[in-house]
Amino acid sequence: MATKIRLQRGGRKGYAVYRIVIADARAPRDGRFTEKIGMYNPNTNPATVDLNFERALYWVETGAQPTDTVRNILSREGVYLMKHLRGGVKKGAFDEAAAQKKFDAWKADKQKGFAAVEAEAKKAKLDAAKAALAQEKKVNEEIAKKVAEKKAAEAAAKAEAEAAAEAPAAEEAAPAEA
C-alpha cells in the first residue's frame, strides 16, 4: 500500500482549514485516512501549523510520500532536517546529542526570524495607526476651522442685523428727544 501525507479539507466555505493526514494514495482527498498528524490553517498571518512532530517524522522515515504543500509544511517545521540529521547519526557522522543540538540551534534561529517578522508587522501596524491618527487630526482641524469661520460669519451677520435694528430705533428716539 502506497501511503501519502496529504491535506484533508475542512472548515466552512471561504475559510478552509486543513487536517494533515496519512492516507492510502488511492483514497479520495476527503475520504478515509489512516492517521491524523496535524492541522494547517492558511487563513491566519502567518499560517498556523499544529503538527505532531514525532508521528510526522515516523511516517516520513517509513516512506510516506507527501504532497507538495505538505512537503513545504514539513520542511518549514523541521521534519526533513531531523530526518537528515538522523541519517547522519545512522552513518556515524555524529552522535544523537550533536544532531539534537544542531536541530535546536536551527529551531532557535527560525523562532528568532519569526519574532523579527512579527515585530516588524507590529511596528508597521503601529506606524499606520499613527499616520491615520495624524490624518484624522488634520481633517478635524480643517473642520474646526470651517466651523469657526461659519460661526464668525453668523456672529458678524447677527451683529450687523442687531446694528441695523438699533439704527432705526435710535433715529426714532432722536427726533422724539428734540
Side-chain angles (χ1 to χ4, degrees):
M1 171 176 102
T3 55
K4 290 276 232 186
I5 305 174
R6 65 164 59 140
L7 296 176
Q8 188 176 53
R9 193 182 193 286
R12 66 177 191 266
K13 182 178 177 181
Y15 193 85
V17 178
Y18 299 92
R19 286 185 241 155
I20 302 170
V21 298
I22 309 301
D24 183 10
R26 297 168 293 183
R29 179 190 72 180
D30 297 336
R32 291 182 63 173
F33 60 91
T34 307
E35 181 181 352
K36 176 186 163 193
I37 60 171
M39 292 289 289
Y40 170 62
N41 184 356
N43 301 306
T44 59
N45 188 14
T48 307
V49 177
D50 179 29
L51 184 69
N52 184 340
F53 188 84
E54 292 302 318
R55 291 306 293 170
L57 184 60
Y58 165 78
W59 281 104
V60 167
E61 287 179 337
T62 303
Q65 293 299 310
T67 59
D68 292 338
T69 304
V70 173
R71 184 180 305 112
N72 289 336
I73 292 169
L74 295 177
S75 179
R76 230 178 294 130
E77 292 297 311
V79 173
Y80 279 102
L81 176 64
M82 184 55 92
K83 179 185 176 196
H84 175 73
L85 291 172
R86 281 191 176 179
V89 169
K90 287 178 186 173
K91 291 178 181 176
F94 43 83
D95 62 343
E96 186 71 34
Q100 189 62 41
K101 189 174 181 181
K102 285 183 181 184
F103 181 76
D104 291 340
W106 174 84
K107 194 75 165 175
D109 187 45
K110 191 153 186 85
Q111 291 299 332
K112 195 183 306 178
F114 282 146
V117 168
E118 189 175 304
E120 187 175 310
K122 197 177 214 181
K123 185 177 185 262
K125 189 175 182 181
L126 187 64
D127 290 344
K130 284 182 181 179
L133 182 64
Q135 181 68 23
E136 188 176 341
K137 282 183 180 180
K138 185 177 177 184
V139 168
N140 287 344
E141 287 174 1
E142 290 175 9
I143 291 172
K145 188 184 288 183
K146 286 180 183 178
V147 168
E149 288 174 2
K150 189 175 179 182
K151 283 186 178 181
E154 287 177 1
K158 188 176 181 182
E160 210 173 281
E162 287 177 4
E166 286 180 14
E171 289 176 11
E172 289 176 11
E177 289 177 10

